[in-house]
Amino acid sequence: MSHSGTDEKLVRMANQIATFFASQPQEVRVDGVALHINKFWEQRMRRRFFEMIDAHQEGFLPLVVEAAAKIQRPGPVAAHNPAEMSSS
């Protein structure tokens, strides 16, 4: 499955957040980007974000890359087990 459309959107959204915080004082930029992503991005988005960051995908602004260290990594995807769902 191709992630290219989703990936482009994630890069664009992360860069928009970084662009906003770039106008803030230096001491709040990294924390501001990380806090915003932690607060408003669902786990699937953050999971894909880290796959891209870990692969050193190009396109992210340096502020986004720097903030990645303070963004919460989501846990692994839980395996779907149909037997657990039919216990009722």
Side-chain angles (χ1 to χ4, degrees):
M1 179 169 91
S2 172
H3 291 283
S4 63
T6 301
D7 290 357
E8 290 173 7
K9 288 178 186 176
L10 286 176
V11 170
R12 186 175 63 245
M13 288 176 12
N15 287 345
Q16 286 174 332
I17 295 164
T19 299
F20 170 80
F21 283 101
S23 67
Q24 302 298 310
Q26 176 103 22
E27 61 274 8
V28 299
R29 292 177 188 171
V30 171
D31 288 339
V33 172
L35 179 64
H36 183 90
I37 290 174
N38 285 331
K39 207 172 190 183
F40 296 108
W41 284 24
E42 64 179 26
Q43 284 193 11
R44 276 184 307 176
M45 294 169 69
R46 285 186 284 118
R47 186 172 291 112
R48 183 64 191 144
F49 169 78
F50 278 111
E51 290 171 356
M52 296 165 65
I53 288 290
D54 293 345
H56 305 288
Q57 180 160 334
E58 295 181 10
F60 288 110
L61 293 174
L63 182 54
V64 174
V65 176
E66 187 178 356
K70 294 189 173 195
I71 296 171
Q72 297 169 351
R73 283 185 179 263
V77 177
H80 177 68
N81 186 348
E84 291 177 0
M85 297 182 75
S86 63
S87 62
S88 51

